[in-house]
Amino acid sequence: MNSVFSPSPSSLGLGAAVEARDLRLRSRLDGARGLSTLLAAAAVAAMVSLADRLLGDWADQHVFLAWLALWLVILAGTLAVSGPARQVARRVCHALNVWSDAVDETHAELRLWKAARADHRVTAECVPTIPRALDDEAGWAASWGRFPESLADGRRNATHLRHC
């Protein structure tokens, strides 16, 4: 391996350009685009199969017109379904991201409280924050959220945590 020359983008002076390209590529390949394509393809396939059933006997005598009609159904269906499929996919991806963030936050809080239970130094750092959170104008509910209830729900369902 040559230590003088490194083909990494930063050593070639391409750091900002490569980062901008990666950001553009990442924004083009988000999960909503793939999901909307999948939803649109499923809807168009359903339309084509329905049109094929409706044209069944007639298509035997008029093959070219049936082929043309199916292609018209495909094109019209793609145009009609692509917008709503994109909106549904964005909503689903946003809901999944919100849910994933909530799960990550809950797991982080559980790890913190587990560490606080195991180490008195962590508990000593966490305890002074409780009165400051209570002094807020919003109070306990805004600062802690549903943490005590979610912790109790998690303990109720996790029998392996009952070691006492």
Side-chain angles (χ1 to χ4, degrees), residues 48-119:
V48 168
S49 66
L50 180 67
D52 186 44
R53 284 209 174 178
L54 293 175
L55 296 175
D57 294 331
W58 180 77
D60 292 337
Q61 298 165 357
H62 308 284
V63 176
F64 178 73
L65 290 177
W67 176 81
L68 188 63
L70 284 178
W71 271 107
L72 285 174
V73 167
I74 289 170
L75 292 174
T78 302
L79 289 174
V81 172
S82 63
R86 196 174 301 120
Q87 290 174 354
V88 168
R90 284 184 186 144
R91 287 181 188 157
V92 167
C93 285
H94 177 70
L96 286 174
N97 286 338
V98 168
W99 173 78
S100 176
D101 291 343
V103 168
D104 288 344
E105 185 177 339
T106 302
H107 285 286
E109 288 176 353
L110 288 174
R111 281 192 305 271
L112 174 68
W113 285 106
K114 194 177 205 179
R117 216 184 279 151
D119 190 359

Side-chain angles (χ1 to χ4, degrees), residues 97-148:
N97 286 338
V98 168
W99 173 78
S100 176
D101 291 343
V103 168
D104 288 344
E105 185 177 339
T106 302
H107 285 286
E109 288 176 353
L110 288 174
R111 281 192 305 271
L112 174 68
W113 285 106
K114 194 177 205 179
R117 216 184 279 151
D119 190 359
H120 64 87
R121 295 172 293 185
V122 177
T123 306
E125 288 182 12
C126 291
V127 168
T129 62
I130 294 173
R132 280 185 288 189
L134 289 176
D135 290 340
D136 290 348
E137 65 274 352
W140 176 270
S143 60
W144 287 91
R146 283 201 60 233
F147 177 72

